[in-house]
Amino acid sequence: MKVIEAVELFAILKDLKLSGMETSDRLKVIKNLQALREVVDKYNADLDLAKERLKPDDYDGLVMKMLESNEAVAAGGSRTVSDLEITSFNKMNEQFNRDLKAVQIGVYDKDKRLFEGGMNNEQVDVKIESLTELAFDKLVDANKDVPAGALAVLFDKMVK
């Protein structure tokens, strides 16, 4: 399983209601959450480290300056930054976001027509406990507000 698939599955599982399910099936979901949490915690820590290393000098100070200017305008005052500062910040911010995205999804290989080398595509060995279709139906019944796309991910990764 790819890291991003584990992150996505965890995000869906963590908010599910487990009422109506058999105890053994609830335990499977909980075990899956535990296994996936390790991957998600490492991914988040790695992403935070990448953000810190990619952040331009005085980035946080510039963000605060822009926020203060926006607050001044919202309060009925005038901007406290120049057009040049805004343009400079926007360019810096766009480059930072591009660099961070490259760390996450990798670089595009035109010959292979896919992204390679990003954190999201790393393979992880996570043991996922499977549910039966009947158990999945009970899970769906308890979670009527979950979007169909999320349910499709759950079905694909957990039902065997």
Side-chain angles (χ1 to χ4, degrees):
M1 169 183 299
K2 291 181 181 182
V3 168
I4 197 65
E5 293 170 332
V7 170
E8 181 181 38
L9 184 57
F10 179 81
I12 296 166
L13 283 176
K14 72 179 179 65
D15 293 326
L16 293 179
K17 297 176 190 117
L18 304 179
S19 57
M21 295 179 72
E22 300 293 325
T23 302
S24 60
D25 292 326
R26 283 194 300 253
L27 189 57
K28 288 177 182 180
V29 173
I30 292 167
K31 285 181 180 180
N32 289 343
L33 279 167
Q34 288 177 324
L36 292 166
R37 180 178 301 277
E38 292 178 26
V39 175
V40 170
D41 288 347
K42 182 182 180 323
Y43 177 83
N44 287 337
D46 290 348
L47 190 57
D48 288 343
L49 181 62
K51 285 178 185 176
E52 282 304 310
R53 289 190 175 166
L54 292 171
K55 211 183 286 184
D57 292 338
D58 199 34
Y59 182 78
D60 293 332
L62 290 171
V63 168
M64 290 305 297
K65 193 173 183 179
M66 293 298 151
L67 288 173
E68 289 169 1
S69 179
N70 289 344
E71 288 173 2
V73 170
S78 58
R79 282 190 333 206
T80 59
V81 292
S82 69
D83 289 342
L84 182 61
E85 288 174 307
I86 291 172
T87 301
S88 176
F89 174 76
N90 287 340
K91 285 180 183 178
M92 181 189 308
N93 195 46
E94 287 173 18
Q95 185 62 49
F96 172 64
N97 288 329
R98 256 193 308 274
D99 292 345
L100 188 58
K101 192 63 103 174
V103 167
Q104 288 179 281
I105 64 173
V107 293
Y108 189 71
D109 184 331
K110 290 179 183 177
D111 297 332
K112 294 181 183 177
R113 293 185 169 186
L114 55 85
F115 285 92
E116 291 183 325
M119 291 172 44
N120 293 357
N121 293 322
E122 290 177 16
Q123 292 291 323
V124 289
D125 186 27
V126 179
K127 184 179 183 320
I128 299 295
E129 302 267 343
S130 298
L131 294 176
T132 64
E133 285 192 24
L134 179 61
F136 183 77
D137 288 345
K138 290 180 181 180
L139 185 65
V140 170
D141 287 343
N143 294 279
K144 302 266 188 219
D145 56 336
V146 175
L151 294 175
V153 169
L154 285 176
F155 188 87
D156 182 51
K157 299 294 181 198
M158 291 184 57
V159 178
K160 302 293 181 216

